[in-house]
Structures are given as C-alpha cells and as structure tokens.
Amino acid sequence: MAGKDCVKVAVRVRPFNKREREAGSRCVVSMSGNAITIQDPRNPHTRRTFTFDYAFWSHSGFIRNRDGLFVAEEPGGRYADQGSVFNDLGQGILENALQGYNATLLAYGQTGSGKSYSMVGYGPNKGLVPTLCERLFRAVKANQESCQCQMLFSMLEIYNEQVIDLLSKGARSPAGLRVREDQQRGFYVEGLRRVPCDSAEQVEQLMEQGTRTRTTAATHINANSSRSHMLISAQLKQIFTEENITKQSNINLVDLAGSERQRCSGLEADRLKEGTAINVSLTTLGNVISSLADAALGKKVVHIPYRDSVLTKLLQSALGGNSRTVMIATLSPSDICYEESLSTLRYAERAKRIQNKAVVNESPTERLVKELKAENVKLLLRLSRLGQDGRKTEEESKELRRLLTHNEMQIKAIQTLWEHHLQEALKDWETQYATITQERRMMQMHPYILNINEDPQLSGVVKLFIQEGDWDIGLSEGTSRTITIKGLGIQERHAVFTNEDRRVSITPVSGAKLMVNGLPITYRTELQHLDRLILGSSSTYLFVGFPCERGAEDWSRYDYDYFQSELAAAAGIHIPTLCEEQSPAGEPSVGLAQTDPSLLAVFYDYIKLIPMVTEANQMSQELNKGVEFKLEIKNLAMSDCRGRDLEKDIAVRVTSLENKQVWMWSKVKFVNRKFLMEEVYQQQVGSGGGQGAERQPLPRDRDPFWDPLEPLHLGSAHLWLQSLAFRIPLEEQVEVLGPEGTEEAILQAQLLPCSPMGLPLGEEDILIDPTELLGKRLDFQLFLEQCCGLRWLKEAKNRGVQIGFRVYDCPQTFYTPAVWHNVNPLLEHRLHFSAMRTSQDLLNYLQSSALVLELWGLQEGCADMVSSMEGLRMTPEGSFIIDKASAPDPSVLESPGCVSDLRSSMRALHH
C-alpha cells in the first residue's frame, strides 16, 4: 500500500548578476542551516524566516578553478556548487527512479534567478538534468548482466497553452499537440515523439536538438522563453530477467516559466485581462498547490483544478499523485528583487505541505509477456499429456501448436520492437552527430552570424555561415544561395551578404529594417569581427569574422542587454545622461558604481522594453492597426512640490496615426498588452493570413491596440509660494515642462494675498518676518490667467486642456474648466484659500514648496475632469480652508453641503 510522501522543497540563493552589481544592490537574504531569512529593504526590522528540507547558499564564497568549475573558495566553505545540489536532490531522484517510483523535479523562481543554471547548467558546470542522465546510465551499465533497461526520452515546451514537441522531425502544428486523457495512463500528449536512448551522450545530443528547436520556435512565434515551461520526460523500464520482474519509472524534469507577477496599482489596472493564456499555467499551478496544501492541513477542499491548464494536467501525478516530487525554488538575494523573492518563498512554503502517494510501477507490456509465456507452458503441458494418454489427435495437436507459434511470435514482436526503435534512434543520432561535426568544420573555415537571445541558454545555438559570393537572407527558401531566417519584420528577401576578397559586407533590400551596432543601415556596409546585427524588429545576431580575425576576446559580453544598450545609446539614453539629469547644476555626474540604483533600474527597464516596443510597432503595421508606440522616461520631479528628483519611470506613448489620438500606458500595462497583441497576431497572421490578407475585425472592447480616451498628463509647472509668507503678491510666467523635459506651454499665474472678503492688501500689510503670521489668519487667491503656446494644440486643433492642482492639505484636486481648440487659451480662473490660524507647518510649506500646476490634455470623446467637494471645508465668506489642524471648531464654519456644486462656488468666487 502506498505511503504518504511530502513534496521535498529546496531553496537556492544565486550570486548577484551584472545589473545588480552595477546598481550597488544590497543582499537581503541570509541563511542558517535550512532556514532562510529575508529582510524588507524599506523596513530593516521586518524579517520573515522560512524553513525547508534543503537550503543552498550559492551567493558568495566561491572561485572558478582551472577546469572552469565554480567551487568553494575554502575547503568546507558554505558555498553550494552544482555537485552539492545534485548529491542532495538529484541522487534521491535517481534512487527513486531505479526503485521503480515515478519522480519529478520542479524548478520555480523569477526569471534570471538561476532556474536554468540549476536544471541544465552552463559549460562544465553541469546542472541536475545532464548529471542525472549520466549517473542513470552509469547505474544501468553496472547492472546490465541482471537487468535489461529501456529508456524513452521526450522534450516539450508549453507556451500560451500550446504544447510544442522540441524533438519532432516534422513541421510544427500551428495549434500545437493535443493533451488527452486515458484511464490507465492519465493525461498524455498525443503524438509526442519519444526517442529510445542507450547513452548519456545521446541524451545530451537530444537536449541540444531540443534547445535548437526551442530557439527557432521562439523566433518564429515571437515568443519570450521566460514565459514558457520546458518539460523533459524520461521513461525508464528495467526488466529483471531472473526475478521475472519489471519496474517502470517516469522521470519528469520541469523548468517552469518565470514567476514574476505583473503588479498593478489601481491607476494602472488594465481593462483587458492580464496575461490571458500566457499566465494560465503558472496561475493554475499556484491554485493547485494551494488546494493541495489546504487539504494536507485538514481543510475541506471541494475541487483541485488540475484540468484548468495544460501544465497542471501533465503534472497531476507529480502533485498529490503517484510520484516522489522535489521542488527547487531559486532566489535573487538583491534588495531590488525583494517582492519577487518573498513571493517565491511563500509559494515554496505552500508546496512543502503537499502529500503524494507513490507506488512502485509494473509495466502492462511485461505482464502481457508473462501471461503469454504462462499460457505457452500450459499449452506444452497439454501437448505432453495428449501424447502420454495416447489420445493425441492430429487436429487437436495442430491447434495447440498453432497457439504456441502465435504466442511465440507475439513475445518476439514485443521483445524486438524496442530493438527496432533503438536502432532508428541511433541512426538519427548519427545523422545529428554528422551535422554537428560538419558545423564545427564550417566554423573553422567561414565567417558566420550566431543568434543572441534574451535567455542566455538559447544564445549561440543557431549559426548561419556566409560562404564566398552573394547570399540572400530572409524568409524565402527559394534558391540554394539563400540563408533562411524567420522573425517579426523579416522580409522575403531582407538583405544580401557579400563575401569576396576575404571581406564581408551586408546590403539591406529596400524597405528592410537593418541595424549594425545600434545604428540603422540603408546602404552597403562592411562588417567587422564581432559587429552586432539586428534584422527586422528584434532578430539579433553577432557577426563572427574569418578564423584569422578571431582572438582570445570574451564574446560573452555581447549579450542581449549589450545589443539593447546600444539602441538606447543611439536614442540618447544611457547611464551618464541619466546621471547628468539627476546631478545638481554645476556638479559632475557620478560614476556608474555610485549611480542611484533607481536610475539603473529605470535604464534596465528601458533596454528591456526597447525590443518589445519595436515588435509592437511591427505587429501594428502588419495588422493595419495604425497605432505607433514610443518609449518615454518620465521625470517624477515634475510632480513633486519641492522639485526633488525623486525618481524616474518608464511610460509608453501610444499614438493613432490617423486622428492623432494619444494614450499614455504604464510599463506594466504595456507589457500585458504586448502579450495580448502576440495572441491576436498569431491568430490573424501566424495562422496563414499574410500581411494585407482579409481578416475578421476584432471587437473594439477586445482589441489590445485600443483603449478608451482619458485625460493625458502633459506636464507640470512649479509656482513657488515663498512670497505668500511675506504677504507679497506674485505675478509670474511659469514654464510647463513635460515628463521628458520638453516645453509644453507657458502659464501666466498670480498669487495674491488678500482680505477675508477677497480685497487686495496694501504695502503696509507686507511682513518683514514671516513668523508674524503664526496663529493669525492668512487669505490668498490663486489666479490662473492664460496658457500660451500649447504644444498639445499645435499638434492637433481638436483638443482641449485643463489645469489641475492641490493646495497644502486639501484632500481633493482642483481643476479649471476645460478650454478647447485654442493654442493660447484664456483661463481666467480664480480661487480663494484661507488658513484660519497659520501653523508652523504651513509656514514651512510656504517657505520651501511650490504649487504644482499640472497640465492635462483632453481629446474629442474624452470626459472633462471634475473637482470633488468631498472632505473640503469652507468659510462663511466662501473661501476654501487649508491648514485644517489649526482651524477652529468646524461647527462655526459653513459646510460645503449647502453649496449645490463646486463649479458654482468657483464661479461665484471668480465673479
């Protein structure tokens, strides 16, 4: 009878990556034994501690030895290398598999937290999967005299709820493979290729093949590998001939998609569902784990949602079923990843409560062989008895022998089927090996371009050789002198490589997008060794020159971020310029190591979004959406009453090319919409309809390229309040600056100290010492007179504007009435404010702060912004009260409830 096995959970903490080191990140994770403690960087006194079955510290205390292996700096150090992780996790999976149990290993964590390194590894630092296969075949070889072993290997990817066979020989189905259910087998993938293997080298070759397919598929369908799940399955069958026992184990090794959540504040909430099918599998996995954890605690669980996603269907036995399961959760210890790391730890804590019921498996096929052999023994016994009793008849004897022969043929067919499949797989392996050998030979003879992917594991997988003569590169597969590539924005004939006189050049075809080292190219350009090419929207390649040009330089520095940093620099966005914007006038900008981490975070967000914006523009063009996307860096100092450069943020400006309508999307909203755009693109273009083909129009409420119009924040101006502390009137023309520092308008405004009835004060009322105001009443009017040179109206006349502002402790934002169709509109908007007893806090505010006047853009079909009266108090004279903490009892003041409308109050004040 099956016993209960809890899911074993391990946590591994990786070193800082390049970004985190440059940002001066602080480590907020500590480890003691199997306990992990995480500290809130904003509140150092807030700590959370979690305890797991295993905890691996791989953050510090290591060196790279001569063989390229990362090992502990000192013997017996705390650093956990790849070998230590395998000994604790992989060895248990290996032993369970050899005993006949199903075994599953899940890798979970944020993108870039070290999942792939732990699972697959890089270079000589082999991960759990290759080491497990190597040890498995070593164990098989040691027992080959008493045990015959058969292993079937498969490799698939789940992206957007579609299953892609990474080892398939044929063309990929646009809809992916189907997941079906069988009473005995449970859920399985119909048509998935399972390759017989008899060596670790063969498995390694198949993994390389799968990675190559995954790279190509990601390019074809414009997918992001961090959003896909990879599932490697090995079915191990051990036939013990002497004991007449067969043990069968299914080993599942799962590299889950990145666990980062798309956090949205109320203002950023999107009308369209976030992530849709792309996030379904990971969300459902979390729901399944939560339900199983609740069940383990004795809570009543009505339904466990295995059927809600492809991933959870295929992992049903691994979670709460017939399997011994291990989860490795990987963490970044950086303070900038605190939220994600805490989320991962909570997820892992729930997973360790899950209880499985693992049993040793017996193969139905071997049971059939045993039954056939047993039947033959009975038939032979009957034949012998017929002869002994002398009652042997020819017909009966013939029938018994026919049955014997039929059974023997069935047994032989079953036993030879494996050998036949293995021979076929070995032939494929030899062909693949010959291809790799040929590729290595070509690398020593010709220049080539190799792919660079956002996922380092998929970089350098595709090599395209440029032999002598002219070579077309593009979608076309028409001629023998064509290099075929797929990708968004790639034309049938995109460019021409020319290799002559040991020089290589590239010439773009008319209308083709081509960049070399971050700059657009429209003419023939000679390539130098290690030049960076971007073809179409985001197909990135590194040019590797002739063998004689190659030195000992480290090519790994030309990663995906390097390409995007070049594009950002070409657009004028790089760390030094951001630092100059932040540094006070006259002071030198700080170095990279001293740069504000928030600025680095914005820069890395920017370079991450560059290819996504390019791809969104290409999809918009191919789908005839008429929408253009543009990245902008918002300076949040514009919205600060003291003008402090608190931080910067990324936004995406969306413009309708036909009617000049504009939307501004947050980074989070754009990323969500980008994945929705991919779904629409795949449905309309990927399914066969090319550019310009007839397509069914998408309902507007489901169109990710469209949004209802909303007021748009154009910029802000600062009207400093210091003159009010001296009761001196101020008349000023203030510059309204956009988030990128552009001049949006000039605003004429006045601050007028006045009497409670709104009459102007005389020169005798001016104060020499502002402290004379303390405890006394202060009245002033804000008069917004005119807006001049509105850039928003110069771009399109059918637009309007409003000014919004908040004063001291007033809970609501005040808005001027909307003005339309005028580049230099008159506002003539006046408001009266009163402080009944001026406090020290209000006085400090007046002396050090500015009134932030926000310019809002309106478009046809967009509702005006209206001021709210909620929480506001007014004097009997009709002015708005500020500095409420020092105001007298509200019962002596007039409540705004008696005023029918804020607009009428403002109108009365104005008149």
Side-chain angles (χ1 to χ4, degrees):
M1 188 174 174
K4 289 187 178 179
D5 296 291
C6 284
V7 171
K8 297 269 192 295
V9 177
V11 172
R12 190 177 194 188
V13 182
R14 67 155 170 79
F16 285 147
N17 60 26
K18 177 185 171 186
R19 292 184 184 184
E20 291 161 349
R21 287 195 303 271
E22 288 180 350
S25 293
R26 189 164 54 86
C27 180
V28 294
V29 174
S30 59
M31 189 181 291
S32 176
N34 290 339
I36 302 268
T37 300
I38 186 165
Q39 179 188 63
D40 187 341
R42 292 159 301 189
N43 185 359
H45 299 294
T46 303
R47 296 169 179 264
R48 287 287 309 275
T49 299
F50 302 83
T51 304
F52 299 100
D53 298 286
Y54 304 97
F56 301 112
W57 182 262
S58 301
H59 174 63
S60 58
F62 62 92
I63 56 169
R64 188 198 288 261
N65 69 12
R66 291 181 180 178
D67 299 323
L69 293 169
F70 293 111
V71 295
E73 202 168 16
E74 298 175 0
R78 66 190 299 214
Y79 175 74
D81 60 10
Q82 296 283 63
S84 304
V85 174
F86 179 81
N87 290 338
D88 284 343
L89 303 184
Q91 190 64 38
I93 292 171
L94 175 63
E95 289 170 1
N96 286 327
L98 292 173
Q99 290 170 27
Y101 290 101
N102 292 336
T104 302
L105 174 63
L106 301 167
Y108 179 87
Q110 180 186 359
T111 299
S113 62
K115 295 191 308 294
S116 295
Y117 179 76
S118 295
M119 290 291 281
V120 181
Y122 299 119
N125 296 281
K126 291 187 177 180
L128 286 160
V129 177
T131 308
L132 178 63
C133 293
E134 187 181 312
R135 299 283 180 88
L136 188 60
F137 282 107
R138 194 185 297 174
V140 165
K141 193 172 182 181
N143 298 324
Q144 62 184 356
E145 291 182 6
S146 60
C147 172
Q148 179 194 348
C149 283
Q150 300 174 0
M151 183 176 178
L152 294 170
F153 183 88
S154 63
M155 191 172 176
L156 63 86
E157 181 179 47
I158 301 170
Y159 180 81
N160 203 12
E161 285 300 278
Q162 291 187 2
V163 178
I164 303 165
D165 185 352
L166 297 177
L167 301 181
S168 173
K169 289 181 177 180
R172 186 179 73 84
S173 164
L177 300 180
R178 296 185 65 177
V179 175
R180 296 195 177 274
E181 187 176 14
D182 179 80
Q183 267 194 330
Q184 264 115 27
R185 294 170 64 184
F187 289 105
Y188 68 97
V189 179
E190 184 181 46
L192 181 69
R193 186 176 178 225
R194 298 192 300 165
V195 183
C197 299
D198 68 349
S199 69
E201 292 76 20
Q202 193 178 354
V203 169
E204 194 170 331
Q205 179 58 49
L206 287 168
M207 286 179 64
E208 283 186 25
Q209 180 188 335
T211 303
R212 183 183 292 267
T213 306
R214 193 181 185 199
T215 307
T216 310
T219 307
H220 286 200
I221 66 172
N222 193 33
N224 184 333
S225 65
S226 69
R227 286 277 178 147
S228 67
H229 314 282
M230 185 177 68
L231 197 155
I232 294 172
S233 292
Q235 187 186 77
L236 176 67
K237 183 190 289 185
Q238 302 170 86
I239 305 166
F240 297 90
T241 48
E242 289 184 11
E243 295 88 344
N244 218 7
I245 294 172
T246 297
K247 291 180 181 178
Q248 184 168 301
S249 172
N250 290 316
I251 308 167
N252 292 315
L253 307 165
V254 188
D255 189 351
L256 295 168
S259 65
E260 48 275 350
R261 299 163 296 148
Q262 293 296 325
R263 293 180 298 275
C264 292
S265 70
L267 295 173
E268 293 175 327
D270 197 350
R271 66 182 177 87
L272 294 179
K273 279 189 179 179
E274 175 200 332
T276 60
I278 287 174
N279 280 341
V280 163
S281 283
L282 212 55
T283 303
T284 307
L285 180 63
N287 295 338
V288 167
I289 287 175
S290 293
S291 298
L292 291 169
D294 288 344
L297 292 172
K299 296 180 182 177
K300 186 177 180 181
V301 177
V302 177
H303 170 66
I304 296 172
Y306 290 116
R307 295 174 179 273
D308 289 0
S309 78
V310 168
L311 178 69
T312 47
K313 284 178 183 177
L314 298 178
L315 292 181
Q316 184 170 1
S317 65
L319 299 167
N322 177 22
S323 177
R324 287 187 170 169
T325 301
V326 174
M327 174 188 278
I328 180 168
T330 53
L331 300 181
S332 163
S334 166
D335 50 0
I336 60 177
C337 295
Y338 167 75
E339 295 288 347
E340 296 299 348
S341 296
L342 180 59
S343 173
T344 300
L345 289 168
R346 286 173 173 158
Y347 199 96
E349 187 178 44
R350 290 199 302 273
K352 73 180 184 181
R353 301 192 192 115
I354 297 173
Q355 294 180 341
N356 290 349
K357 297 172 184 177
V359 296
V360 174
N361 303 294
E362 185 179 7
S363 165
T365 305
E366 290 308 309
R367 202 160 50 237
L368 176 60
V369 171
K370 284 193 285 184
E371 287 168 0
L372 288 168
K373 285 182 176 179
E375 189 178 343
N376 277 3
V377 169
K378 290 177 185 176
L379 289 171
L380 286 168
L381 188 61
R382 283 179 63 188
L383 271 174
S384 64
R385 281 179 181 169
L386 280 174
Q388 289 167 7
D389 296 344
R391 291 175 300 159
K392 180 178 177 183
T393 64
E394 196 165 331
E395 284 186 16
E396 198 172 0
S397 175
K398 269 186 182 180
E399 179 61 21
L400 289 173
R401 290 188 186 282
R402 189 188 67 77
L403 288 170
L404 270 169
T405 306
H406 177 72
N407 288 352
E408 289 290 348
M409 286 175 67
Q410 274 193 280
I411 292 168
K412 190 174 180 181
I414 290 167
Q415 291 175 336
T416 57
L417 188 62
W418 164 256
E419 294 296 330
H420 174 69
H421 286 325
L422 184 59
Q423 288 305 315
E424 281 191 346
L426 287 172
K427 283 180 186 176
D428 287 343
W429 182 46
E430 287 169 4
T431 305
Q432 290 285 334
Y433 185 77
T435 303
I436 289 170
T437 305
Q438 173 68 8
E439 185 181 84
R440 287 172 182 165
R441 193 180 300 118
M442 295 276 283
M443 288 169 65
Q444 300 307 315
M445 297 167 59
H446 303 289
Y448 59 92
I449 57 174
L450 57 85
N451 77 300
I452 302 298
N453 195 282
E454 187 177 4
D455 183 346
Q457 198 180 358
L458 303 185
S459 286
V461 173
V462 177
K463 299 176 184 69
L464 303 171
F465 295 95
I466 307 165
Q467 300 180 57
E468 287 189 6
D470 291 340
W471 292 82
D472 291 346
I473 184 167
L475 294 172
S476 174
E477 301 176 10
T479 68
S480 58
R481 299 191 71 79
T482 298
I483 300 171
T484 303
I485 62 170
K486 309 283 185 183
L488 202 57
I490 301 293
Q491 298 184 173
E492 285 293 315
R493 185 168 175 264
H494 199 86
V496 180
F497 279 113
T498 303
N499 179 353
E500 59 183 12
D501 300 327
R502 301 190 70 76
R503 293 173 182 268
V504 176
S505 61
I506 186 169
T507 309
V509 172
S510 176
K513 294 178 184 175
L514 173 64
M515 291 197 170
V516 176
N517 301 335
L519 300 173
I521 298 298
T522 56
Y523 48 84
R524 179 168 174 164
T525 302
E526 186 174 332
L527 297 178
Q528 305 298 322
H529 177 53
L530 300 183
D531 273 352
R532 283 78 58 203
L533 310 180
I534 301 179
L535 291 86
S537 296
S538 54
S539 298
T540 47
Y541 293 90
L542 184 68
F543 173 70
V544 179
F546 288 92
C548 60
E549 297 174 329
R550 304 170 201 168
E553 62 273 285
D554 182 12
W555 300 357
S556 64
R557 76 188 189 97
Y558 297 107
D559 57 8
Y560 193 76
D561 280 358
Y562 191 98
F563 279 66
Q564 305 312 322
S565 297
E566 277 190 325
L567 291 178
I573 305 296
H574 39 72
I575 297 294
T577 55
L578 290 174
C579 293
E580 284 166 15
E581 290 174 18
Q582 186 193 39
S583 300
E587 292 185 19
S589 60
V590 294
L592 186 64
Q594 300 161 302
T595 304
D596 184 343
S598 68
L599 283 181
L600 280 166
V602 166
F603 176 71
Y604 286 124
D605 277 345
Y606 189 92
I607 65 174
K608 181 181 178 181
L609 290 176
I610 285 175
M612 297 181 76
V613 167
T614 307
E615 289 165 4
N617 279 323
Q618 184 65 36
M619 287 187 281
S620 170
Q621 182 182 328
E622 292 189 28
L623 295 174
N624 299 318
K625 292 294 182 181
V627 174
E628 184 179 67
F629 301 90
K630 183 188 174 187
L631 272 177
E632 292 187 357
I633 295 182
K634 295 165 61 179
N635 186 346
L636 301 186
M638 294 291 112
S639 301
D640 181 56
C641 67
R642 296 190 180 182
R644 296 167 298 188
D645 194 353
L646 300 176
E647 58 179 298
K648 292 179 169 62
D649 198 8
I650 301 288
V652 178
R653 188 182 184 91
V654 187
T655 307
S656 169
L657 299 176
E658 182 182 355
N659 53 27
K660 302 300 180 186
Q661 290 177 335
V662 179
W663 298 262
M664 193 66 75
W665 288 352
S666 68
K667 175 187 71 176
V668 169
K669 183 172 183 175
F670 172 73
V671 169
N672 179 48
R673 288 297 182 89
K674 165 67 166 48
F675 289 118
L676 294 169
M677 290 173 199
E678 286 176 14
E679 286 187 27
V680 172
Y681 183 82
Q682 286 309 308
Q683 290 163 6
Q684 299 198 13
V685 173
S687 58
Q691 188 171 344
E694 287 291 326
R695 304 186 185 100
Q696 288 293 327
L698 197 66
R700 178 166 272 194
D701 61 342
R702 286 173 45 213
D703 189 348
F705 292 88
W706 178 86
D707 244 1
L709 289 171
E710 295 177 347
L712 197 69
H713 181 245
L714 303 177
S716 303
H718 286 74
L719 184 64
W720 293 94
L721 302 170
Q722 192 174 16
S723 64
L724 291 178
F726 296 90
R727 291 210 292 225
I728 297 174
L730 174 72
E731 184 175 353
E732 188 145 18
Q733 291 187 341
V734 289
E735 190 178 32
V736 181
L737 296 177
E740 289 188 303
T742 54
E743 184 184 289
E744 297 293 330
I746 299 294
L747 181 61
Q748 295 177 12
Q750 296 181 41
L751 285 172
L752 304 169
C754 63
S755 71
M757 299 304 296
L759 299 174
L761 299 180
E763 287 186 12
E764 65 277 7
D765 296 305
I766 294 174
L767 301 177
I768 303 299
D769 181 3
T771 58
E772 293 180 45
L773 274 177
L774 291 174
K776 296 178 181 177
R777 176 163 174 162
L778 170 67
D779 286 85
F780 67 92
Q781 292 181 352
L782 169 66
F783 181 49
L784 301 177
E785 188 175 353
Q786 186 175 15
C787 227
C788 301
L790 278 166
R791 195 160 77 100
W792 175 243
L793 269 293
K794 290 176 183 176
E795 293 172 355
K797 297 292 185 185
N798 61 340
R799 293 174 173 174
V801 293
Q802 285 182 275
I803 305 291
F805 55 90
R806 293 180 77 164
V807 181
Y808 190 48
D809 58 357
C810 281
Q812 303 296 339
T813 302
F814 296 93
Y815 294 103
T816 63
V819 286
W820 291 81
H821 315 302
N822 194 335
V823 177
N824 304 305
L826 285 173
L827 302 176
E828 296 187 329
H829 186 74
R830 189 186 301 265
L831 285 181
H832 187 157
F833 297 93
S834 302
M836 308 310 289
R837 294 187 185 127
T838 304
S839 67
Q840 183 65 56
D841 191 60
L842 173 60
L843 191 59
N844 293 341
Y845 169 76
L846 295 176
Q847 290 181 299
S848 62
S849 301
L851 197 63
V852 179
L853 302 168
E854 295 187 328
L855 179 65
W856 290 87
L858 304 176
Q859 303 169 78
E860 285 187 346
C862 167
D864 296 4
M865 294 189 293
V866 180
S867 306
S868 168
M869 286 289 285
E870 187 179 347
L872 295 178
R873 285 157 55 191
M874 298 177 70
T875 66
E877 297 86 9
S879 62
F880 293 96
I881 294 176
I882 60 173
D883 203 11
K884 293 177 187 174
S886 61
D889 188 333
S891 61
V892 303
L893 301 173
E894 184 177 342
S895 167
C898 65
V899 183
S900 62
D901 192 325
L902 180 61
R903 284 180 178 275
S904 61
S905 301
M906 293 179 175
R907 204 174 293 117
L909 283 169
H910 173 64
H911 290 309

